[in-house]
Amino acid sequence: QVQLVESGGGLVQSGGSLRLSCAASGSIFAINAMGWYRQAPGKQRELVADINRDGFTNYADSVKGRFTISRDNAKNTVYLQMNSLKPEDTAVYYCNARVILVKITPQESFWGQGTQVTVSS
């Protein structure tokens, strides 16, 4: 059906930057919101940021001013630019997309496989 492929994770020092990308492919009529979530060891998955088709964004308080989410609707791709990274940003980052597979049907939620982001102090 729909595949989300993430890239861009890795190891970075505190204060550094990384850019995550997530491309959606498959049988897609339209994509509503796209977003990034993260899950640290022993913690629940949490929203980092999301963006709707019109470009309206929403951020977790912990990343405001440091992370920027954007999307390219023509490429069905969402990005997360992460600056001023902190050790507490270390987590597996997951891409999410709310997809309409067929016109005039409810959206469905799809997840990427996750990409590890590790910030060393």
Side-chain angles (χ1 to χ4, degrees):
Q1 277 188 328
V2 176
Q3 297 79 40
L4 301 181
V5 178
E6 300 139 338
S7 61
L11 173 64
V12 65
Q13 288 188 334
S14 181
S17 298
L18 284 174
R19 188 186 193 222
L20 305 182
S21 299
C22 171
S25 62
S27 180
I28 298 171
F29 175 75
I31 301 179
N32 289 334
M34 300 185 80
W36 291 94
Y37 291 71
R38 67 187 181 187
Q39 187 166 19
K43 296 188 177 181
Q44 289 189 337
R45 190 174 297 188
E46 63 176 1
L47 174 69
V48 177
D50 60 18
I51 182 169
N52 70 7
R53 270 193 297 185
D54 297 323
F56 289 101
T57 59
N58 175 48
Y59 294 92
D61 288 342
S62 60
V63 306
K64 283 180 181 178
R66 301 187 298 122
F67 292 9
T68 302
I69 190 170
S70 60
R71 67 189 278 178
D72 184 332
N73 290 333
K75 297 181 179 179
N76 289 337
T77 299
V78 64
Y79 307 96
L80 185 68
Q81 177 66 43
M82 305 185 292
N83 298 328
S84 302
L85 282 160
K86 304 175 181 180
E88 50 264 44
D89 294 317
T90 295
V92 178
Y93 283 69
Y94 296 92
C95 174
N96 175 263
R98 309 296 175 92
V99 179
I100 299 174
L101 299 176
V102 178
K103 189 176 180 181
I104 315 179
T105 59
Q107 65 182 14
E108 297 185 37
S109 180
F110 293 90
W111 292 90
Q113 78 284 358
T115 185
Q116 178 70 47
V117 171
T118 302
V119 184
S120 63
S121 57

